[in-house]
PDB file of all heavy atoms in Angstrom:
ATOM      1  N   SER R1250      34.966  -2.301  32.175  1.00 98.00           N
ATOM      2  CA  SER R1250      35.484  -0.904  32.132  1.00 98.00           C
ATOM      3  C   SER R1250      34.877  -0.090  31.019  1.00 98.00           C
ATOM      4  O   SER R1250      34.790   1.148  31.090  1.00 98.00           O
ATOM      5  CB  SER R1250      37.016  -0.902  31.963  1.00 98.00           C
ATOM      6  OG  SER R1250      37.602  -1.529  33.070  1.00 98.00           O
ATOM      7  N   ALA R1251      34.460  -0.773  29.958  1.00 98.00           N
ATOM      8  CA  ALA R1251      33.887  -0.086  28.794  1.00 98.00           C
ATOM      9  C   ALA R1251      32.396   0.072  28.841  1.00 98.00           C
ATOM     10  O   ALA R1251      31.768   0.508  27.919  1.00 98.00           O
ATOM     11  CB  ALA R1251      34.313  -0.829  27.531  1.00 98.00           C
ATOM     12  N   THR R1252      31.817  -0.306  29.987  1.00 98.00           N
ATOM     13  CA  THR R1252      30.359  -0.240  30.175  1.00 98.00           C
ATOM     14  C   THR R1252      29.991   0.954  31.040  1.00 98.00           C
ATOM     15  O   THR R1252      30.531   1.067  32.135  1.00 98.00           O
ATOM     16  CB  THR R1252      29.879  -1.567  30.796  1.00 98.00           C
ATOM     17  OG1 THR R1252      30.183  -2.632  29.914  1.00 98.00           O
ATOM     18  CG2 THR R1252      28.375  -1.533  31.062  1.00 98.00           C
ATOM     19  N   PRO R1253      29.091   1.796  30.572  1.00 97.00           N
ATOM     20  CA  PRO R1253      28.769   3.011  31.360  1.00 97.00           C
ATOM     21  C   PRO R1253      27.809   2.707  32.507  1.00 97.00           C
ATOM     22  O   PRO R1253      27.165   1.640  32.513  1.00 97.00           O
ATOM     23  CB  PRO R1253      28.084   3.918  30.348  1.00 97.00           C
ATOM     24  CG  PRO R1253      27.397   2.963  29.406  1.00 97.00           C
ATOM     25  CD  PRO R1253      28.321   1.778  29.304  1.00 97.00           C
ATOM     26  N   ALA R1254      27.714   3.623  33.432  1.00 96.00           N
ATOM     27  CA  ALA R1254      26.771   3.542  34.567  1.00 96.00           C
ATOM     28  C   ALA R1254      27.158   2.424  35.524  1.00 96.00           C
ATOM     29  O   ALA R1254      28.021   1.584  35.206  1.00 96.00           O
ATOM     30  CB  ALA R1254      25.352   3.376  34.093  1.00 96.00           C
ATOM     31  N   ALA R1255      26.536   2.385  36.682  1.00 96.00           N
ATOM     32  CA  ALA R1255      26.958   1.488  37.730  1.00 96.00           C
ATOM     33  C   ALA R1255      26.470   0.068  37.496  1.00 96.00           C
ATOM     34  O   ALA R1255      25.256  -0.191  37.600  1.00 96.00           O
ATOM     35  CB  ALA R1255      26.438   2.021  39.069  1.00 96.00           C
ATOM     36  N   ALA R1256      27.382  -0.844  37.222  1.00 97.00           N
ATOM     37  CA  ALA R1256      26.982  -2.242  36.932  1.00 97.00           C
ATOM     38  C   ALA R1256      26.381  -2.893  38.171  1.00 97.00           C
ATOM     39  O   ALA R1256      25.597  -3.829  38.056  1.00 97.00           O
ATOM     40  CB  ALA R1256      28.213  -3.024  36.464  1.00 97.00           C
ATOM     41  N   LEU R1257      26.742  -2.408  39.361  1.00 97.00           N
ATOM     42  CA  LEU R1257      26.175  -2.940  40.597  1.00 97.00           C
ATOM     43  C   LEU R1257      24.889  -2.265  40.965  1.00 97.00           C
ATOM     44  O   LEU R1257      24.225  -2.623  41.941  1.00 97.00           O
ATOM     45  CB  LEU R1257      27.163  -2.777  41.772  1.00 97.00           C
ATOM     46  CG  LEU R1257      28.450  -3.604  41.707  1.00 97.00           C
ATOM     47  CD1 LEU R1257      29.391  -3.139  42.830  1.00 97.00           C
ATOM     48  CD2 LEU R1257      28.128  -5.084  41.945  1.00 97.00           C
ATOM     49  N   GLY R1258      24.496  -1.271  40.183  1.00 96.00           N
ATOM     50  CA  GLY R1258      23.343  -0.446  40.598  1.00 96.00           C
ATOM     51  C   GLY R1258      23.842   0.624  41.587  1.00 96.00           C
ATOM     52  O   GLY R1258      24.922   0.503  42.161  1.00 96.00           O
ATOM     53  N   SER R1259      23.037   1.640  41.768  1.00 96.00           N
ATOM     54  CA  SER R1259      23.433   2.751  42.624  1.00 96.00           C
ATOM     55  C   SER R1259      22.340   3.043  43.622  1.00 96.00           C
ATOM     56  O   SER R1259      21.284   2.412  43.648  1.00 96.00           O
ATOM     57  CB  SER R1259      23.710   3.976  41.763  1.00 96.00           C
ATOM     58  OG  SER R1259      24.211   5.032  42.543  1.00 96.00           O
ATOM     59  N   CYS R1260      22.616   3.993  44.479  1.00 93.00           N
ATOM     60  CA  CYS R1260      21.585   4.403  45.459  1.00 93.00           C
ATOM     61  C   CYS R1260      21.842   5.876  45.825  1.00 93.00           C
ATOM     62  O   CYS R1260      22.868   6.441  45.474  1.00 93.00           O
ATOM     63  CB  CYS R1260      21.588   3.557  46.696  1.00 93.00           C
ATOM     64  SG  CYS R1260      23.035   3.800  47.774  1.00 93.00           S
ATOM     65  N   ARG R1261      20.871   6.483  46.454  1.00 88.00           N
ATOM     66  CA  ARG R1261      21.091   7.838  46.953  1.00 88.00           C
ATOM     67  C   ARG R1261      20.781   7.874  48.479  1.00 88.00           C
ATOM     68  O   ARG R1261      20.387   8.894  49.009  1.00 88.00           O
ATOM     69  CB  ARG R1261      20.225   8.824  46.223  1.00 88.00           C
ATOM     70  CG  ARG R1261      20.663   9.069  44.785  1.00 88.00           C
ATOM     71  CD  ARG R1261      20.249  10.444  44.325  1.00 88.00           C
ATOM     72  NE  ARG R1261      20.707  10.715  42.941  1.00 88.00           N
ATOM     73  CZ  ARG R1261      21.887  11.261  42.655  1.00 88.00           C
ATOM     74  NH1 ARG R1261      22.723  11.613  43.613  1.00 88.00           N
ATOM     75  NH2 ARG R1261      22.216  11.483  41.406  1.00 88.00           N
ATOM     76  N   LEU R1262      20.979   6.691  49.126  1.00 90.00           N
ATOM     77  CA  LEU R1262      20.657   6.601  50.534  1.00 90.00           C
ATOM     78  C   LEU R1262      21.663   7.399  51.359  1.00 90.00           C
ATOM     79  O   LEU R1262      22.880   7.172  51.239  1.00 90.00           O
ATOM     80  CB  LEU R1262      20.706   5.138  50.960  1.00 90.00           C
ATOM     81  CG  LEU R1262      20.297   4.852  52.397  1.00 90.00           C
ATOM     82  CD1 LEU R1262      18.767   4.939  52.527  1.00 90.00           C
ATOM     83  CD2 LEU R1262      20.784   3.490  52.847  1.00 90.00           C
ATOM     84  N   LYS R1263      21.180   8.261  52.155  1.00 91.00           N
ATOM     85  CA  LYS R1263      22.071   9.041  53.096  1.00 91.00           C
ATOM     86  C   LYS R1263      21.950   8.377  54.467  1.00 91.00           C
ATOM     87  O   LYS R1263      20.847   8.188  54.980  1.00 91.00           O
ATOM     88  CB  LYS R1263      21.635  10.489  53.150  1.00 91.00           C
ATOM     89  CG  LYS R1263      22.611  11.368  53.847  1.00 91.00           C
ATOM     90  CD  LYS R1263      22.506  12.833  53.401  1.00 91.00           C
ATOM     91  CE  LYS R1263      23.475  13.691  54.239  1.00 91.00           C
ATOM     92  NZ  LYS R1263      24.220  14.635  53.429  1.00 91.00           N
ATOM     93  N   LEU R1264      23.049   7.955  55.053  1.00 95.00           N
ATOM     94  CA  LEU R1264      22.993   7.267  56.349  1.00 95.00           C
ATOM     95  C   LEU R1264      22.605   8.274  57.428  1.00 95.00           C
ATOM     96  O   LEU R1264      22.886   9.499  57.330  1.00 95.00           O
ATOM     97  CB  LEU R1264      24.362   6.663  56.671  1.00 95.00           C
ATOM     98  CG  LEU R1264      24.750   5.425  55.883  1.00 95.00           C
ATOM     99  CD1 LEU R1264      26.108   4.920  56.273  1.00 95.00           C
ATOM    100  CD2 LEU R1264      23.703   4.327  56.052  1.00 95.00           C
ATOM    101  N   PRO R1265      21.963   7.802  58.489  1.00 95.00           N
ATOM    102  CA  PRO R1265      21.539   8.688  59.576  1.00 95.00           C
ATOM    103  C   PRO R1265      22.741   9.352  60.269  1.00 95.00           C
ATOM    104  O   PRO R1265      23.869   8.915  60.119  1.00 95.00           O
ATOM    105  CB  PRO R1265      20.806   7.753  60.566  1.00 95.00           C
ATOM    106  CG  PRO R1265      20.689   6.425  59.921  1.00 95.00           C
ATOM    107  CD  PRO R1265      21.631   6.376  58.761  1.00 95.00           C
TER     108      PRO R1265
END
Side-chain angles (χ1 to χ4, degrees):
Chain R
S1250 298
T1252 299
L1257 292 170
S1259 185
C1260 71
R1261 289 206 178 271
L1262 184 77
K1263 190 155 176 136
L1264 288 180

